[in-house]
Coordinates of all heavy atoms in Angstrom, one line a residue:
T105 N -44.3 -1.7 35.0 CA -45.3 -1.0 35.9 C -46.3 -2.0 36.4 O -46.4 -3.1 35.9 CB -45.9 0.2 35.1 OG1 -46.7 -0.4 34.1 CG2 -44.9 1.2 34.6
G106 N -47.2 -1.5 37.3 CA -48.3 -2.3 37.8 C -49.2 -2.7 36.8 O -49.7 -3.8 36.8
V107 N -49.5 -1.8 35.8 CA -50.5 -2.2 34.8 C -49.9 -3.3 33.9 O -50.6 -4.2 33.6 CB -50.7 -0.9 33.9 CG1 -51.6 -1.3 32.7 CG2 -51.4 0.1 34.7
Q108 N -48.6 -3.3 33.6 CA -48.0 -4.3 32.8 C -48.0 -5.6 33.5 O -48.2 -6.7 33.0 CB -46.6 -3.9 32.4 CG -46.6 -2.8 31.3 CD -45.2 -2.3 31.0 OE1 -44.3 -2.4 31.9 NE2 -45.0 -1.7 29.9
T109 N -47.7 -5.5 34.9 CA -47.7 -6.7 35.7 C -49.0 -7.4 35.7 O -49.0 -8.7 35.8 CB -47.2 -6.3 37.1 OG1 -46.0 -5.6 37.0 CG2 -47.1 -7.6 38.0
C110 N -50.1 -6.7 35.7 CA -51.4 -7.2 35.7 C -51.9 -7.7 34.4 O -52.8 -8.6 34.4 CB -52.4 -6.2 36.3 SG -52.1 -5.7 38.0
A111 N -51.4 -7.3 33.3 CA -51.9 -7.6 32.0 C -51.8 -9.1 31.7 O -52.7 -9.7 31.2 CB -51.1 -6.8 30.9
L112 N -50.7 -9.7 32.0 CA -50.5 -11.2 31.8 C -51.5 -12.0 32.6 O -52.2 -12.8 32.0 CB -49.1 -11.6 32.0 CG -48.8 -13.1 31.7 CD1 -49.2 -13.5 30.2 CD2 -47.4 -13.5 32.0
P113 N -51.6 -11.8 33.9 CA -52.6 -12.7 34.6 C -54.0 -12.4 34.2 O -54.8 -13.4 34.1 CB -52.4 -12.2 36.1 CG -51.1 -11.6 36.1 CD -50.8 -11.0 34.8
I114 N -54.4 -11.2 33.8 CA -55.7 -10.9 33.3 C -55.9 -11.7 32.0 O -57.0 -12.3 31.8 CB -55.9 -9.4 33.2 CG1 -56.1 -8.8 34.6 CG2 -57.2 -9.1 32.4 CD1 -56.1 -7.3 34.6
S115 N -55.0 -11.6 31.1 CA -55.1 -12.3 29.9 C -55.2 -13.8 30.1 O -56.0 -14.5 29.4 CB -53.9 -12.0 29.0 OG -53.9 -12.8 27.9
L116 N -54.5 -14.4 31.0 CA -54.5 -15.8 31.3 C -55.9 -16.2 31.9 O -56.4 -17.2 31.5 CB -53.4 -16.2 32.2 CG -52.0 -16.1 31.5 CD1 -50.9 -16.4 32.5 CD2 -51.8 -17.0 30.3
Y117 N -56.4 -15.4 32.8 CA -57.6 -15.7 33.4 C -58.8 -15.6 32.4 O -59.6 -16.5 32.3 CB -58.0 -14.7 34.6 CG -57.6 -15.2 35.9 CD1 -56.6 -14.5 36.7 CD2 -58.1 -16.3 36.5 CE1 -56.2 -14.9 37.9 CE2 -57.7 -16.7 37.8 CZ -56.8 -16.0 38.5 OH -56.3 -16.4 39.7
R118 N -58.7 -14.6 31.5 CA -59.7 -14.5 30.5 C -59.7 -15.7 29.5 O -60.7 -16.2 29.2 CB -59.6 -13.2 29.7 CG -60.0 -12.0 30.5 CD -59.9 -10.7 29.7 NE -60.3 -9.6 30.5 CZ -60.1 -8.4 30.2 NH1 -59.5 -8.0 29.1 NH2 -60.6 -7.4 31.0
R119 N -58.5 -16.2 29.2 CA -58.3 -17.3 28.3 C -58.9 -18.6 29.0 O -59.6 -19.4 28.4 CB -56.9 -17.5 28.0 CG -56.7 -18.6 27.0 CD -55.3 -18.5 26.4 NE -55.1 -19.6 25.4 CZ -54.1 -20.4 25.3 NH1 -53.1 -20.2 26.1 NH2 -54.1 -21.3 24.4
A120 N -58.5 -18.7 30.3 CA -59.0 -19.9 31.1 C -60.5 -19.9 31.1 O -61.1 -21.0 30.9 CB -58.4 -19.9 32.5
L121 N -61.1 -18.8 31.4 CA -62.6 -18.7 31.4 C -63.2 -19.1 30.1 O -64.2 -19.9 30.0 CB -63.0 -17.3 31.8 CG -62.9 -16.9 33.3 CD1 -63.2 -15.4 33.5 CD2 -63.8 -17.8 34.1
A122 N -62.7 -18.6 29.0 CA -63.2 -18.9 27.7 C -63.1 -20.4 27.4 O -64.1 -21.0 26.8 CB -62.5 -18.0 26.6
I123 N -62.0 -20.9 27.7 CA -61.8 -22.4 27.4 C -62.7 -23.2 28.3 O -63.4 -24.1 27.7 CB -60.3 -22.8 27.7 CG1 -59.4 -22.2 26.7 CG2 -60.1 -24.3 27.7 CD1 -57.9 -22.2 27.0
R124 N -62.8 -22.9 29.5 CA -63.6 -23.7 30.4 C -65.1 -23.5 30.0 O -65.9 -24.5 30.1 CB -63.4 -23.3 31.9 CG -62.1 -23.9 32.4 CD -61.9 -23.7 33.8 NE -60.7 -24.5 34.1 CZ -60.1 -24.5 35.3 NH1 -60.7 -23.8 36.3 NH2 -59.0 -25.1 35.6
E125 N -65.5 -22.3 29.7 CA -66.9 -22.1 29.4 C -67.3 -22.9 28.1 O -68.3 -23.5 28.0 CB -67.3 -20.6 29.3 CG -68.7 -20.4 29.0 CD -69.1 -18.9 29.3 OE1 -68.3 -18.1 29.4 OE2 -70.3 -18.7 29.2
K126 N -66.3 -22.9 27.1 CA -66.6 -23.6 25.9 C -66.6 -25.1 26.1 O -67.5 -25.8 25.6 CB -65.5 -23.3 24.9 CG -65.7 -23.9 23.5 CD -64.6 -23.5 22.6 CE -64.9 -24.1 21.2 NZ -63.8 -23.8 20.2
K127 N -65.7 -25.6 27.0 CA -65.7 -27.0 27.2 C -66.8 -27.5 28.2 O -67.3 -28.6 27.9 CB -64.3 -27.4 27.8 CG -64.1 -28.9 28.0 CD -62.7 -29.2 28.4 CE -62.7 -30.7 28.8 NZ -61.7 -31.4 28.0
L128 N -67.0 -26.8 29.2 CA -67.9 -27.3 30.3 C -69.3 -26.7 30.2 O -70.2 -27.3 30.8 CB -67.3 -26.9 31.7 CG -65.9 -27.4 31.9 CD1 -65.3 -26.8 33.2 CD2 -65.9 -29.0 32.0
G129 N -69.5 -25.5 29.6 CA -70.8 -24.9 29.5 C -70.8 -23.8 30.5 O -70.0 -23.7 31.5
P130 N -71.8 -22.9 30.3 CA -71.8 -21.6 31.1 C -72.4 -21.8 32.6 O -72.2 -20.9 33.4 CB -72.8 -20.7 30.3 CG -73.7 -21.7 29.6 CD -72.8 -22.9 29.3
D131 N -72.9 -23.0 32.9 CA -73.4 -23.2 34.2 C -72.6 -24.2 35.0 O -73.1 -24.8 36.0 CB -74.9 -23.7 34.1 CG -75.8 -22.6 33.6 OD1 -75.5 -21.4 33.9 OD2 -76.7 -22.9 32.9
D132 N -71.4 -24.6 34.6 CA -70.7 -25.6 35.3 C -70.0 -25.0 36.5 O -69.4 -23.9 36.5 CB -69.6 -26.2 34.4 CG -69.0 -27.4 34.9 OD1 -68.1 -27.3 35.9 OD2 -69.4 -28.5 34.5
P133 N -70.1 -25.8 37.7 CA -69.5 -25.3 39.0 C -68.0 -25.1 38.9 O -67.5 -24.2 39.6 CB -69.8 -26.4 39.9 CG -71.0 -27.0 39.4 CD -70.9 -27.0 37.9
V134 N -67.3 -25.8 38.0 CA -65.8 -25.5 37.8 C -65.7 -24.2 37.3 O -64.7 -23.4 37.6 CB -65.2 -26.6 36.9 CG1 -63.8 -26.3 36.6 CG2 -65.3 -28.0 37.6
L135 N -66.5 -23.7 36.4 CA -66.4 -22.3 35.8 C -66.6 -21.3 37.0 O -65.9 -20.3 37.0 CB -67.4 -22.2 34.7 CG -67.4 -20.8 34.0 CD1 -66.1 -20.6 33.2 CD2 -68.6 -20.7 33.1
A136 N -67.5 -21.6 37.8 CA -67.8 -20.7 38.9 C -66.5 -20.6 39.9 O -66.2 -19.5 40.3 CB -69.0 -21.2 39.8
D137 N -65.8 -21.7 40.1 CA -64.6 -21.6 40.8 C -63.6 -20.7 40.1 O -62.9 -19.9 40.8 CB -63.9 -23.0 41.0 CG -64.8 -23.9 42.0 OD1 -65.5 -23.3 42.8 OD2 -64.7 -25.1 41.9
T138 N -63.5 -20.8 38.8 CA -62.5 -20.0 38.1 C -63.0 -18.5 38.2 O -62.1 -17.6 38.4 CB -62.4 -20.4 36.6 OG1 -62.1 -21.8 36.6 CG2 -61.4 -19.6 35.8
L139 N -64.2 -18.3 38.1 CA -64.7 -16.9 38.2 C -64.3 -16.3 39.6 O -63.9 -15.1 39.7 CB -66.3 -16.8 38.0 CG -66.7 -17.1 36.6 CD1 -68.2 -17.4 36.6 CD2 -66.4 -15.9 35.8
R140 N -64.5 -17.1 40.6 CA -64.2 -16.6 42.0 C -62.7 -16.4 42.1 O -62.3 -15.4 42.8 CB -64.7 -17.7 43.0 CG -66.1 -17.5 43.4 CD -66.4 -18.3 44.7 NE -66.5 -19.8 44.2 CZ -67.6 -20.3 43.7 NH1 -68.7 -19.5 43.4 NH2 -67.6 -21.5 43.3
H141 N -61.8 -17.3 41.6 CA -60.4 -17.0 41.7 C -60.0 -15.8 40.9 O -59.2 -15.0 41.4 CB -59.6 -18.2 41.1 CG -59.7 -19.4 42.0 ND1 -59.1 -19.6 43.2 CD2 -60.4 -20.6 41.8 CE1 -59.4 -20.7 43.7 NE2 -60.1 -21.4 42.9
Y142 N -60.6 -15.6 39.8 CA -60.3 -14.3 39.0 C -60.8 -13.1 39.8 O -60.1 -12.1 39.8 CB -61.0 -14.4 37.7 CG -60.7 -13.4 36.7 CD1 -59.6 -12.5 36.8 CD2 -61.5 -13.2 35.5 CE1 -59.4 -11.5 35.8 CE2 -61.3 -12.3 34.6 CZ -60.2 -11.4 34.7 OH -60.0 -10.4 33.8
A143 N -61.9 -13.2 40.4 CA -62.4 -12.1 41.2 C -61.5 -11.7 42.4 O -61.3 -10.5 42.7 CB -63.8 -12.4 41.8
V144 N -60.9 -12.7 43.0 CA -60.0 -12.5 44.1 C -58.7 -11.7 43.6 O -58.4 -10.7 44.2 CB -59.5 -13.8 44.7 CG1 -58.3 -13.6 45.7 CG2 -60.7 -14.4 45.5
F145 N -58.3 -12.1 42.4 CA -57.2 -11.4 41.8 C -57.5 -10.0 41.5 O -56.8 -9.0 41.8 CB -56.7 -12.1 40.5 CG -55.7 -11.3 39.8 CD1 -54.4 -11.2 40.1 CD2 -56.2 -10.6 38.6 CE1 -53.5 -10.4 39.4 CE2 -55.3 -9.8 37.8 CZ -53.9 -9.7 38.3
L146 N -58.7 -9.8 40.9 CA -59.2 -8.5 40.5 C -59.3 -7.5 41.8 O -59.0 -6.4 41.7 CB -60.5 -8.5 39.8 CG -60.4 -9.1 38.3 CD1 -61.7 -9.3 37.8 CD2 -59.6 -8.3 37.5
R147 N -59.8 -8.1 42.8 CA -59.9 -7.3 44.0 C -58.6 -6.8 44.5 O -58.4 -5.7 45.1 CB -60.7 -8.1 45.2 CG -62.1 -8.2 44.8 CD -63.0 -8.2 46.1 NE -64.4 -8.4 45.7 CZ -65.2 -7.3 45.5 NH1 -64.8 -6.1 45.6 NH2 -66.5 -7.5 45.2
K148 N -57.6 -7.7 44.4 CA -56.2 -7.4 44.9 C -55.6 -6.3 44.0 O -54.7 -5.6 44.5 CB -55.3 -8.7 44.9 CG -55.6 -9.6 45.9 CD -54.7 -10.8 45.9 CE -55.1 -11.8 47.0 NZ -54.2 -13.0 47.0
T149 N -56.2 -6.1 42.8 CA -55.6 -5.1 41.9 C -56.6 -4.0 41.8 O -56.6 -3.1 40.9 CB -55.4 -5.7 40.5 OG1 -56.6 -6.2 40.0 CG2 -54.3 -6.7 40.6
R150 N -57.5 -3.9 42.8 CA -58.5 -2.8 42.9 C -59.5 -2.6 41.7 O -59.9 -1.6 41.4 CB -57.8 -1.5 43.2 CG -56.9 -1.5 44.4 CD -56.4 -0.1 44.7 NE -55.3 -0.1 45.6 CZ -55.3 -0.3 46.9 NH1 -56.4 -0.6 47.5 NH2 -54.3 -0.2 47.7
R151 N -59.8 -3.8 41.2 CA -60.8 -3.7 40.1 C -62.1 -4.3 40.6 O -62.6 -5.3 40.2 CB -60.3 -4.6 38.9 CG -59.2 -3.9 38.2 CD -58.5 -4.9 37.2 NE -57.5 -4.3 36.3 CZ -56.3 -4.0 36.7 NH1 -55.9 -4.5 37.8 NH2 -55.5 -3.4 35.8
N152 N -62.6 -3.7 41.7 CA -63.7 -4.2 42.5 C -65.0 -4.3 41.8 O -65.8 -5.3 42.0 CB -63.9 -3.3 43.7 CG -62.7 -3.4 44.7 OD1 -62.1 -4.4 44.8 ND2 -62.3 -2.3 45.3
E153 N -65.3 -3.4 40.9 CA -66.6 -3.5 40.2 C -66.7 -4.7 39.3 O -67.7 -5.5 39.3 CB -66.8 -2.2 39.3 CG -68.2 -2.1 38.7 CD -68.4 -0.8 37.9 OE1 -68.0 0.2 38.4 OE2 -69.0 -1.0 36.9
Y154 N -65.6 -5.0 38.5 CA -65.6 -6.2 37.7 C -65.6 -7.4 38.5 O -66.2 -8.4 38.2 CB -64.5 -6.1 36.7 CG -64.5 -7.2 35.6 CD1 -65.7 -7.4 34.9 CD2 -63.4 -7.9 35.4 CE1 -65.7 -8.5 34.0 CE2 -63.5 -9.0 34.5 CZ -64.6 -9.2 33.8 OH -64.6 -10.2 32.8
A155 N -64.8 -7.4 39.6 CA -64.7 -8.5 40.5 C -66.1 -8.8 41.0 O -66.5 -10.0 41.1 CB -63.8 -8.2 41.7
R156 N -66.9 -7.9 41.4 CA -68.3 -8.1 41.9 C -69.1 -8.7 40.8 O -69.9 -9.7 41.2 CB -68.9 -6.8 42.4 CG -70.2 -7.0 43.0 CD -70.1 -7.9 44.3 NE -71.4 -8.2 44.8 CZ -71.7 -9.4 45.3 NH1 -70.9 -10.4 45.4 NH2 -72.9 -9.6 45.7
Q157 N -69.0 -8.4 39.6 CA -69.7 -9.0 38.5 C -69.4 -10.4 38.4 O -70.3 -11.3 38.2 CB -69.5 -8.3 37.2 CG -70.0 -6.9 37.1 CD -69.5 -6.2 35.9 OE1 -69.0 -6.8 34.9 NE2 -69.7 -4.9 35.8
L158 N -68.1 -10.8 38.6 CA -67.7 -12.2 38.4 C -68.3 -13.0 39.6 O -68.7 -14.2 39.5 CB -66.2 -12.3 38.3 CG -65.6 -11.7 37.1 CD1 -64.1 -11.8 37.1 CD2 -66.1 -12.3 35.8
E159 N -68.2 -12.4 40.8 CA -68.7 -13.0 42.0 C -70.2 -13.3 41.9 O -70.7 -14.4 42.2 CB -68.5 -12.2 43.2 CG -67.0 -12.1 43.6 CD -66.6 -11.0 44.5 OE1 -67.5 -10.0 44.8 OE2 -65.5 -11.0 45.0
L160 N -71.0 -12.4 41.3 CA -72.4 -12.6 41.2 C -72.7 -13.7 40.1 O -73.6 -14.4 40.3 CB -73.1 -11.3 40.7 CG -73.1 -10.2 41.8 CD1 -73.7 -8.9 41.2 CD2 -74.0 -10.6 42.9
R161 N -71.9 -13.7 39.1 CA -72.1 -14.8 38.1 C -71.8 -16.1 38.7 O -72.5 -17.1 38.5 CB -71.2 -14.5 36.9 CG -71.4 -15.5 35.8 CD -70.7 -15.2 34.5 NE -70.9 -16.3 33.6 CZ -70.0 -16.6 32.7 NH1 -68.9 -15.9 32.5 NH2 -70.2 -17.6 31.9
A162 N -70.7 -16.2 39.5 CA -70.4 -17.5 40.2 C -71.5 -17.9 41.1 O -71.9 -19.1 41.2 CB -69.1 -17.3 41.0
E163 N -72.0 -16.9 41.9 CA -73.2 -17.2 42.8 C -74.4 -17.8 42.1 O -75.0 -18.7 42.5 CB -73.6 -16.0 43.6 CG -72.5 -15.6 44.6 CD -72.8 -14.2 45.3 OE1 -73.9 -13.7 45.2 OE2 -71.9 -13.7 45.8
T164 N -74.7 -17.2 40.9 CA -75.8 -17.6 40.1 C -75.6 -19.0 39.6 O -76.5 -19.8 39.6 CB -76.0 -16.6 38.9 OG1 -76.2 -15.4 39.3 CG2 -77.1 -17.1 38.0
I165 N -74.4 -19.3 39.1 CA -74.1 -20.7 38.7 C -74.2 -21.6 39.8 O -74.8 -22.7 39.7 CB -72.6 -20.7 38.1 CG1 -72.5 -19.9 36.8 CG2 -72.2 -22.2 37.9 CD1 -71.1 -19.8 36.3
D166 N -73.8 -21.3 41.0 CA -73.9 -22.2 42.2 C -75.3 -22.4 42.5 O -75.8 -23.5 42.8 CB -73.1 -21.7 43.3 CG -71.6 -21.8 43.2 OD1 -71.2 -22.6 42.3 OD2 -70.9 -21.0 43.9
A167 N -76.1 -21.4 42.5 CA -77.6 -21.5 42.8 C -78.3 -22.3 41.8 O -79.1 -23.2 42.2 CB -78.2 -20.1 42.9
R168 N -78.0 -22.1 40.6 CA -78.6 -23.0 39.5 C -78.3 -24.4 39.7 O -79.0 -25.3 39.6 CB -78.3 -22.5 38.1 CG -78.9 -21.1 37.8 CD -78.4 -20.6 36.4 NE -78.8 -21.4 35.3 CZ -79.9 -21.3 34.7 NH1 -80.7 -20.3 35.0 NH2 -80.2 -22.0 33.6
A169 N -76.9 -24.7 40.0 CA -76.5 -26.1 40.1 C -77.2 -26.7 41.4 O -77.5 -27.9 41.3 CB -74.9 -26.1 40.3
S170 N -77.4 -26.0 42.4 CA -78.0 -26.6 43.6 C -79.4 -26.9 43.4 O -80.0 -27.8 44.0 CB -77.9 -25.6 44.8 OG -78.7 -24.5 44.7
L171 N -80.0 -26.2 42.4 CA -81.4 -26.5 42.1 C -81.5 -27.5 40.9 O -82.6 -27.9 40.5 CB -82.2 -25.2 41.6 CG -82.3 -24.2 42.7 CD1 -82.8 -22.8 42.1 CD2 -83.2 -24.6 43.9
G172 N -80.4 -27.9 40.4 CA -80.4 -28.8 39.2 C -80.7 -28.2 37.9 O -81.2 -28.9 37.0
V173 N -80.6 -26.9 37.8 CA -81.0 -26.2 36.6 C -79.8 -26.2 35.7 O -78.7 -25.8 36.1 CB -81.5 -24.8 36.9 CG1 -81.8 -24.0 35.6 CG2 -82.7 -24.8 37.8
T174 N -79.9 -26.5 34.4 CA -78.8 -26.4 33.5 C -79.3 -25.6 32.3 O -80.4 -25.6 32.0 CB -78.3 -27.8 33.1 OG1 -79.4 -28.6 32.5 CG2 -77.7 -28.6 34.2
T175 N -78.3 -25.1 31.6 CA -78.6 -24.4 30.3 C -78.6 -25.5 29.2 O -77.7 -26.3 29.1 CB -77.5 -23.4 30.0 OG1 -77.5 -22.5 31.1 CG2 -77.8 -22.7 28.7
P176 N -79.7 -25.4 28.4 CA -79.8 -26.5 27.3 C -78.7 -26.3 26.2 O -78.1 -25.3 26.1 CB -81.1 -26.1 26.7 CG -81.7 -24.9 27.2 CD -80.8 -24.5 28.4

């Protein structure tokens, strides 16, 4: 079914996010890219609310990076 088809990609995106955040930190632009890619997938599967949360987080990371702000 569609739910089963989406379960694996969602699991893989969540794992990728966890690994990248642990390795790179919560404010790394690479993490923002992963968030955006995940959000695109979520929009295609009609999970718009969660996709928007990820997009906002990516935008925040990008804004902080452009200002040179990092998390200690």
Side-chain angles (χ1 to χ4, degrees):
T105 66
V107 173
Q108 291 173 335
T109 304
C110 294
L112 181 59
I114 288 172
S115 173
L116 293 174
Y117 269 116
R118 286 182 178 166
R119 185 168 182 223
L121 283 171
I123 290 168
R124 286 188 173 174
E125 187 164 6
K126 183 177 180 181
K127 182 175 174 123
L128 303 171
D131 292 328
D132 194 280
V134 172
L135 182 66
D137 289 339
T138 304
L139 289 165
R140 274 189 287 279
H141 290 291
Y142 186 16
V144 168
F145 170 78
L146 291 171
R147 288 212 181 269
K148 288 180 180 179
T149 60
R150 302 189 196 286
R151 291 170 172 85
N152 295 323
E153 186 175 323
Y154 188 49
R156 185 63 187 141
Q157 292 173 14
L158 297 179
E159 291 164 347
L160 289 173
R161 184 171 174 210
E163 290 172 16
T164 300
I165 291 169
D166 288 339
R168 292 173 65 88
S170 71
L171 296 173
V173 178
T174 59
T175 301

